[in-house]
């Protein structure tokens, strides 16, 4: 049967038991591997007495042997078994006894559960040619996903070994109500399946007696069928369980979908294409919580994920939650239903190191990443993704890197990338625009915000208007020319290299020009001066020492996603434009043409004074207006 070496490594058994029977004690346990799997452990002790008539091996040992031999999706899954001292251990998939959860089962769940038990019995009868002999609530278990699994295989025997003496030997271990009243006085039926058929009829009658007949189509007829046919006193008149699967109770629309998904490996390609082509339309006719709860496991099964037709016509509508705000009904589940029923399954699937499954999940990752909790992303999904980027498959690495990009806005780059990071890029926008971004949104500046910035600057640069009809330009055109130069400067470095001048030149409009040269300020409103520019004192060159403060990346390979080695760089961002703000010195001479008719009268001069308050050029022009006034008075 096994030995101590068969025990799963890292197995930790809970102290509290799930159930205690005459044959074993049932516990829940954890296997401390990378995915922390939960299992069920059954322990048989010498102190648990059982009738000597059962013989050796013990009931738990015999059940373990049969679970290992007879494998079926609807039979309790065997993992391992071993002896430790005088105790025998059996490990299976995590389950709980049906009797502990039957009260919470609705009619549809019971219908699906009975269907699973029927499938398991049909397999034992028609494929293995054995009889179970103890169909009852205590031999059925339920997984965390709600699937019913057939257990209690300690009483089974082959059809050839099914005799009256054997039935008497195990009589005390069987559920009394599931034993036919005339079993002792009649010979073993030629149809050996009749024993399990009677027990199944009793089981179905017991758990369906309190259910409303309107819940499921054919429920009332099925109750009568169980009573009159399956529990018939004549074993030869009882139907085979394979025929019971065709009863209307198991063939309504929802059960057809469930049955097809359960038996998907048995279907041909043409049948699969037809089924998945109309599946979404059919599922929309049922409540989404019922679909998610009862079919979620099957809709996300391996065989569905890898089916080409399902990938095209089903998965896009399953793996993207429906957002009620957008008013669309294309996707099957709302975000709340998706989080409750599908997210736990997706978390389990990310622990599966299967290339095909992982690529399918990553192809839809952006559709459901927002459904995870931050802790789930950080502790469960992210570690598995980081394993993917180290794989030798280029397609997997590429898809994984895209998935990591979707996580960055949620967890932050520091969590996703890890390692030491530094400021390798600087923000080259002017100060005014950067301040605008800080107030709004540092990550994105849309067209409306940029337009608002331009309007603000237009109010700040309060240049006097040229009266019509001289020229035809207005103040907005003047401002736009200044903004265009100040906020774009797309070729400022080209001007430096081509002109051989270390000081970029900012050109103003042709009609009104302010220029500074050799400490002389000239204001001119005549159209003769067309190309006056701010000269050498407008900006300064970038200090070469500041460049040395920035970290120099010697090799692009140093930007490893997890082990970046960054050279020492300045903690504070260096602003290249700090020393490039225009400087206008105090006016010493003023040349005014035709003072008596100039548009630069005292009103215009007062408007120029307001430039100090608006801080248009960030310099002190407090005494400019006074000197102009004194010059005019003289």
């Amino acid at each position: 049967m096994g030995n101590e070496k068969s025990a799963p490594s890292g197995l930790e058994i809970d102290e509290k038991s799930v159930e205690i029977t005459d044959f074993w004690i049932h516990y829940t346990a954890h296997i401390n591997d990378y995915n922390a799997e939960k299992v069920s452990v059954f322990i048989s002790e010498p102190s648990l007495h059982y009738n000597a008539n059962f013989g050796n091996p013990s009931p738990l040992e015999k059940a373990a042997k049969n679970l290992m031999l007879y494998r079926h999706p609807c039979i309790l899954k065997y993992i391992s078994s071993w002896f430790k001292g005088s105790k025998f251990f059996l490990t299976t998939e995590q389950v709980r006894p049906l009797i502990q959860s039957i009260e919470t089962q609705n009619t549809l769940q019971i219908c699906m559960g009975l269907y699973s038990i029927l499938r398991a019995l049909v397999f034992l009868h028609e494929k293995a040619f054995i009889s179970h002999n103890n169909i009852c609530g205590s031999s059925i278990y339920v997984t965390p996903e709600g699937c019913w699994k057939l257990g209690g295989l300690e009483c089974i025997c082959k059809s050839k070994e099914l005799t009256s003496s054997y039935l008497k030997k195990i009589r005390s271990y069987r559920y009394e109500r599931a034993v036919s009243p005339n079993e002792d006085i009649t010979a073993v039926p030629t149809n050996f399946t009749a024993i399990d058929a009677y027990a199944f009829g009793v089981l179905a009658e017991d758990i369906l007696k309190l259910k409303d007949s309107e819940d499921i189509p054919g429920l009332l007829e099925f109750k009568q069928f169980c009573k009159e046919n399956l529990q018939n006193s004549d074993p030869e008149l009882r139907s085979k369980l394979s025929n019971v699967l065709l009863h209307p109770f198991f063939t309504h629309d929802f059960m057809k979908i469930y049955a097809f998904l359960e038996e998907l490996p048995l279907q041909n390609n043409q049948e699969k294409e037809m089924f998945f082509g109309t599946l979404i339309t059919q599922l929309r006719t049922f409540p989404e919580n019922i679909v998610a709860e009862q079919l979620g496991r099957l809709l996300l099964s391996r065989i569905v994920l890898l089916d080409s037709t399902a990938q095209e016509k089903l998965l896009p509508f399953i793996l993207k939650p429906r957002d009620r705000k957008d008013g669309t009904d294309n996707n099957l589940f709302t975000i709340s239903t998706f989080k409750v029923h599908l997210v736990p399954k997706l978390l389990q699937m990310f622990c599966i190191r299967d290339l095909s499954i992982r690529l399918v999940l990553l192809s839809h990752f952006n559709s459901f990443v927002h459904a995870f909790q931050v802790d789930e992303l950080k502790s469960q999904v992210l570690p598995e993704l980081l394993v993917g980027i180290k794989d030798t498959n280029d397609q997997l690495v590429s898809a994984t890197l895209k998935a990591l990009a979707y996580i960055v806005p949620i967890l932050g780059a520091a969590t996703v990338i890890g390692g030491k990071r530094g400021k390798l890029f600087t923000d080259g926008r002017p100060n005014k625009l950067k301040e605008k971004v800080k107030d709004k949104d540092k990550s994105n500046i849309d067209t409306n915000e940029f337009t608002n910035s331009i309007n603000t600057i237009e109010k700040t640069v309060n240049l006097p208007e040229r009266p019509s009809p001289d020229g035809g330009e207005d103040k907005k055109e003047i401002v736009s020319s200044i903004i265009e130069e100040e906020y774009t400067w797309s070729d400022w470095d080209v001007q430096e290299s081509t002109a051989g001048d270390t000081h970029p030149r900012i050109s103003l409009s042709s009609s009104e020009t302010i220029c500074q040269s050799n400490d002389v300020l000239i204001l001119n409103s005549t159209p003769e001066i067309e190309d006056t520019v701010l000269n050498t004192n407008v900006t300064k060159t970038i200090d070469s020492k500041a460049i040395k403060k920035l970290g120099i990346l010697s090799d692009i390979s140093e930007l490893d996603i997890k082990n970046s080695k960054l050279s020492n760089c300045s903690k504070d961002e260096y602003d290249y434009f700090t020393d490039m703000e225009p400087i206008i010195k105090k006016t010493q001479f003023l040349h005014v043409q035709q003072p008596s008719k100039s548009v630069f009268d005292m009103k215009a001069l007062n408007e120029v004074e307001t430039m100090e308050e608006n801080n248009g050029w960030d310099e002190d022009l407090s005494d400019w207006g006074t000197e102009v006034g004194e010059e005019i008075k003289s």
Side-chain angles (χ1 to χ4, degrees), residues 126-357:
E126 300 183 2
K127 301 296 181 182
F129 301 102
I130 59 177
S131 176
H132 187 278
N133 300 322
N134 193 27
I135 300 299
C136 60
S138 61
S139 63
I140 299 174
Y141 296 88
V142 182
T143 68
E145 293 81 15
C147 303
W148 290 22
K149 298 296 183 79
L150 180 62
L153 270 60
E154 62 274 5
C155 293
I156 68 173
C157 69
K158 294 182 179 180
S159 58
K160 295 179 181 180
E161 299 173 355
L162 185 62
T163 62
S164 298
S165 59
Y166 179 79
L167 292 176
K168 290 178 181 179
K169 179 181 177 180
I170 63 173
R171 178 67 180 266
S172 59
Y173 303 101
R174 298 167 63 191
Y175 179 51
E176 187 63 30
R177 282 202 68 234
V179 178
S180 175
N182 59 350
E183 184 178 283
D184 294 336
I185 59 176
T186 59
V188 176
T190 55
N191 178 19
F192 72 95
T193 65
I195 295 176
D196 289 341
Y198 184 91
F200 181 83
V202 174
L203 171 70
E205 182 185 11
D206 287 345
I207 63 179
L208 288 174
K209 60 184 177 182
L210 298 179
K211 300 300 179 181
D212 190 349
S213 59
E214 297 181 357
D215 290 348
I216 298 256
L219 176 58
L220 181 60
E221 293 82 354
F222 183 68
K223 288 180 180 180
Q224 294 175 349
F225 177 82
C226 290
K227 186 68 175 178
E228 299 173 0
N229 186 297
L230 297 182
Q231 298 180 50
N232 194 301
S233 58
D234 186 353
E236 303 300 331
L237 297 179
R238 300 169 193 165
S239 297
K240 290 185 177 182
L241 295 182
S242 56
N243 295 331
V244 179
L245 290 172
L246 303 178
H247 192 278
F249 182 67
F250 298 112
T251 56
H252 55 83
D253 291 342
F254 193 89
M255 282 302 301
K256 286 181 179 179
I257 297 175
Y258 174 78
F260 194 98
L261 291 173
E262 281 281 7
E263 301 171 1
L264 196 59
L266 305 178
Q267 313 299 331
N268 59 45
N269 291 334
Q270 184 178 2
E271 291 173 333
K272 291 179 184 178
E273 290 179 4
M274 294 178 60
F275 175 75
F276 287 121
T278 60
L279 181 56
I280 282 295
T281 303
Q282 297 180 57
L283 292 178
R284 289 197 182 105
T285 61
F286 304 103
E288 63 168 314
N289 61 322
I290 297 296
V291 174
E293 183 178 5
Q294 306 303 328
L295 301 180
R297 172 185 60 89
L298 296 173
L299 293 174
L300 296 180
S301 65
R302 174 184 174 82
I303 193 169
V304 171
L305 292 176
L306 299 184
D307 186 88
S308 58
T309 307
Q311 290 177 359
E312 178 185 356
K313 298 183 178 181
L314 175 67
L315 295 185
F317 305 99
I318 296 293
L319 294 177
K320 184 176 182 180
R322 184 170 74 246
D323 187 358
R324 294 178 178 177
K325 295 181 181 179
D326 61 13
T328 61
D329 294 326
N330 293 330
N331 302 321
L332 190 59
F333 304 118
T334 59
I335 186 65
S336 58
T337 302
F338 192 93
K339 287 181 178 180
V340 172
H341 298 291
L342 268 67
V343 164
K345 296 177 176 61
L346 291 172
L347 290 174
Q348 294 176 356
M349 294 166 65
F350 269 102
C351 295
I352 300 173
R353 305 283 175 83
D354 184 292
L355 177 62
S356 300
I357 297 298

Side-chain angles (χ1 to χ4, degrees), residues 414-468:
T415 301
V416 176
I417 303 299
K420 295 182 179 179
R421 298 185 301 130
K423 275 281 188 180
L424 300 178
F425 291 82
T426 186
D427 192 347
R429 292 170 297 177
N431 288 333
K432 289 185 179 294
L433 191 56
K434 285 192 286 186
E435 292 174 359
K436 188 72 175 179
V437 174
K438 290 179 182 179
D439 293 338
K440 298 293 183 181
D441 184 3
K442 295 182 179 180
S443 61
N444 183 26
I445 301 179
D446 57 15
T447 305
N448 292 333
E449 291 177 354
F450 191 75
T451 303
N452 293 335
S453 299
I454 293 176
N455 294 334
T456 303
I457 297 170
E458 179 181 350
K459 296 178 182 179
T460 303
V461 185
N462 189 15
L463 295 178
E465 285 193 27
R466 164 189 285 267
S468 298

Side-chain angles (χ1 to χ4, degrees), residues 352-580:
I352 300 173
R353 305 283 175 83
D354 184 292
L355 177 62
S356 300
I357 297 298
R358 178 62 63 86
L359 287 175
V360 172
L361 293 178
L362 294 179
S363 65
H364 297 277
F365 190 74
N366 189 35
S367 299
F368 59 76
V369 62
H370 60 282
F372 292 115
Q373 299 292 333
V374 173
D375 291 341
E376 294 171 341
L377 277 176
K378 187 175 181 179
S379 62
Q380 299 183 58
V381 177
L382 179 58
E384 290 298 328
L385 292 179
L386 294 180
V387 172
I389 64 175
K390 299 178 182 178
D391 195 83
T392 57
N393 185 282
D394 290 344
Q395 185 182 2
L396 176 61
V397 174
S398 176
T400 302
L401 290 173
K402 292 179 182 178
L404 289 173
Y406 297 134
I407 294 182
V408 170
I410 302 175
L411 298 183
T415 301
V416 176
I417 303 299
K420 295 182 179 179
R421 298 185 301 130
K423 275 281 188 180
L424 300 178
F425 291 82
T426 186
D427 192 347
R429 292 170 297 177
N431 288 333
K432 289 185 179 294
L433 191 56
K434 285 192 286 186
E435 292 174 359
K436 188 72 175 179
V437 174
K438 290 179 182 179
D439 293 338
K440 298 293 183 181
D441 184 3
K442 295 182 179 180
S443 61
N444 183 26
I445 301 179
D446 57 15
T447 305
N448 292 333
E449 291 177 354
F450 191 75
T451 303
N452 293 335
S453 299
I454 293 176
N455 294 334
T456 303
I457 297 170
E458 179 181 350
K459 296 178 182 179
T460 303
V461 185
N462 189 15
L463 295 178
E465 285 193 27
R466 164 189 285 267
S468 298
D470 288 341
E473 305 89 343
D474 61 7
K475 183 171 61 175
K476 291 185 178 180
E477 293 178 344
I478 298 173
V479 173
S480 63
S481 66
I482 296 176
I483 294 170
E484 181 179 1
E485 295 292 340
E486 182 178 357
Y487 280 87
T488 58
W489 275 12
S490 60
D491 59 342
W492 67 277
D493 52 342
V494 179
Q495 293 176 8
E496 284 186 343
S497 59
T498 57
D501 188 358
T502 59
H503 305 287
R505 301 173 179 270
I506 304 177
S507 178
L508 299 179
S509 66
S510 60
S511 59
E512 295 180 359
T513 308
I514 303 175
C515 70
Q516 180 180 347
S517 179
N518 298 327
D519 296 329
V520 177
L521 179 66
I522 301 175
L523 295 176
N524 198 312
S525 61
T526 60
E528 286 80 4
I529 301 177
E530 298 290 335
D531 297 317
T532 308
V533 297
L534 288 173
N535 205 342
T536 59
N537 288 328
V538 175
T539 59
K540 297 180 181 180
T541 59
I542 301 172
D543 190 353
S544 61
K545 294 181 180 180
I547 299 177
K548 296 179 181 179
K549 295 180 181 179
L550 296 176
I552 299 175
L553 194 64
S554 60
D555 192 341
I556 194 64
S557 63
E558 295 181 11
L559 287 174
D560 180 73
I561 193 169
K562 292 299 293 179
N563 301 299
S564 300
K565 296 180 180 179
L566 306 179
S567 58
N568 292 330
C569 60
S570 174
K571 294 182 179 179
D572 296 327
E573 174 190 356
Y574 183 81
D575 188 356
Y576 285 103
F577 289 89
T578 300
D579 296 328
M580 298 182 67

